[in-house]
Amino acid sequence: MNVTVVERGLLEFQFSQLRNLPLIHGMSGHNNSAPAEGDIAYSSISDPTDTTANRRAFFAELGLNLESLTLGRQVHGNTVHAVVASDRGRGQPPSFDGFPDTDGLITAAPDITLGVITGDCVPIVLYDPRKHVLAVIHAGWRGTVSLIAKRAVEAMKAGYQCRPRTILAGIGPSICPSCYEVGDEVVDAWMASGIPDARRAVLSRDGSQYFDLWTANRYALMAAGVQRRNIEDSAICTRCESHAFFSRRAAVAGDSRKGSQMMVAQLTQRS
Ligand SMILES: [Zn+2]
């Protein structure tokens, strides 16, 4: 007897507060039954044919066109780029002509899917329902301590007349403080960021230091004027949940396959 097994897709996470709004968003994850276990990055790790298949499957699942995907060339920096209609599709093969040195993207244009690729770093989605403006950010520790989240809000304010207090923010699945032991260079850079109460995002245990990327990015958003109640924390750790997500640290420890996932978001027409 044949039993049809319906495999789950690549969509692994969505923010509750961003559902039922005029945007489509979601984050892919790790899936044993997908090609290259769902790896969605073009790199030396996976066959590009598998990466393309995974991107197509993930976009189809969300009802998005892969041709709309627009990316930056992420460098763990704090540059946020404005994206207009004519940029649609930048960063895709074969040219990989994404915005240079860019870890955050903002747009008011429909039909553009903003994406960031992560493997433990923090994906952040910002949406202003009043101005219908969207941003997607990749915040590793370097981006976090150089306050890319705050810079993105400031860019939405300066370029799109957004009011920070109306912006909805989501801090997506990424490495948790318990899994993220760091050295002095990380702690020192964070403590120099000028964020009030910065110390609260650094934890000490058995002589080691751990950086709380979730709290740090929340503080950065709040420093830009985003309301605490408008920030949704996924509180999902990619390292603890490495069956569901790719985790750089899990891969380095030999506990999982190397690979990456993607957070995407796109504005839709307002009714
Ligand atoms: Zn963890």
Side-chain angles (χ1 to χ4, degrees):
M1 192 176 80
N2 289 323
V3 178
T4 304
V5 178
V6 179
E7 306 281 5
R8 66 185 179 85
L10 285 178
L11 176 61
E12 195 63 49
F13 175 81
Q14 290 181 303
F15 295 106
S16 303
Q17 70 170 359
L18 297 182
R19 290 176 179 162
N20 306 312
L21 289 171
L23 77 158
I24 296 169
H25 84 287
M27 183 171 175
S28 71
H30 171 263
N31 181 337
N32 270 325
S33 64
E37 299 183 19
D39 185 12
I40 212 154
Y42 292 98
S43 71
S44 56
I45 298 163
S46 300
D47 187 312
T49 312
D50 291 340
T51 299
T52 301
N54 287 330
R55 287 190 178 186
R56 288 216 176 280
F58 177 50
F59 273 64
E61 209 176 338
L62 286 168
L64 294 170
N65 290 322
L66 184 55
E67 290 67 31
S68 298
L69 176 63
T70 307
L71 299 165
R73 292 161 73 175
Q74 299 172 195
V75 290
H76 295 274
N78 66 359
T79 298
V80 182
H81 214 291
V83 180
V84 297
S86 58
D87 295 318
R88 181 175 183 261
R90 279 187 67 165
Q92 299 217 51
S95 60
F96 296 104
D97 57 344
F99 301 98
D101 303 340
T102 297
D103 288 82
L105 301 165
I106 304 178
T107 198
D111 202 30
I112 287 193
T113 308
L114 304 179
V116 290
I117 294 168
T118 70
D120 271 338
C121 296
V122 187
I124 300 173
V125 178
L126 305 175
Y127 175 61
D128 180 355
R130 196 175 63 95
K131 288 289 184 180
H132 200 44
V133 173
L134 180 69
V136 178
I137 303 163
H138 162 257
W141 78 259
R142 289 180 191 281
T144 299
V145 304
S146 59
L147 306 181
I148 188 171
K150 180 169 178 274
R151 287 185 60 143
V153 173
E154 288 166 353
M156 289 172 76
K157 192 174 161 186
Y160 301 85
Q161 293 77 51
C162 297
R163 284 191 206 130
R165 55 183 302 111
T166 66
I167 290 174
L168 304 174
I171 297 175
S174 41
I175 197 160
C176 80
S178 300
C179 289
Y180 199 43
E181 185 177 350
V182 295
D184 287 340
E185 76 282 12
V186 176
V187 174
D188 293 349
W190 170 243
M191 293 308 293
S193 66
I195 292 292
D197 298 326
R199 174 57 66 183
R200 288 189 193 169
V202 181
L203 314 172
S204 297
R205 194 176 66 215
D206 302 331
S208 299
Q209 304 177 102
Y210 297 80
F211 188 30
D212 183 344
L213 288 168
W214 301 342
T215 295
N217 280 289
R218 196 168 67 239
Y219 283 0
L221 291 166
M222 290 166 67
V226 178
Q227 303 286 292
R228 174 67 187 94
R229 66 171 182 276
N230 287 341
I231 303 173
E232 179 177 347
D233 298 294
S234 74
I236 294 170
C237 174
T238 44
R239 174 74 174 92
C240 293
E241 308 286 333
S242 59
H243 61 283
F245 293 98
F246 289 99
S247 165
R248 189 72 41 88
R249 289 222 169 179
V252 167
D255 296 342
S256 71
R257 187 189 190 281
K258 284 183 184 169
S260 302
Q261 50 252 337
M262 187 186 289
M263 176 71 86
V264 297
Q266 180 182 318
L267 298 170
T268 57
Q269 295 293 340
R270 283 198 284 192
S271 52

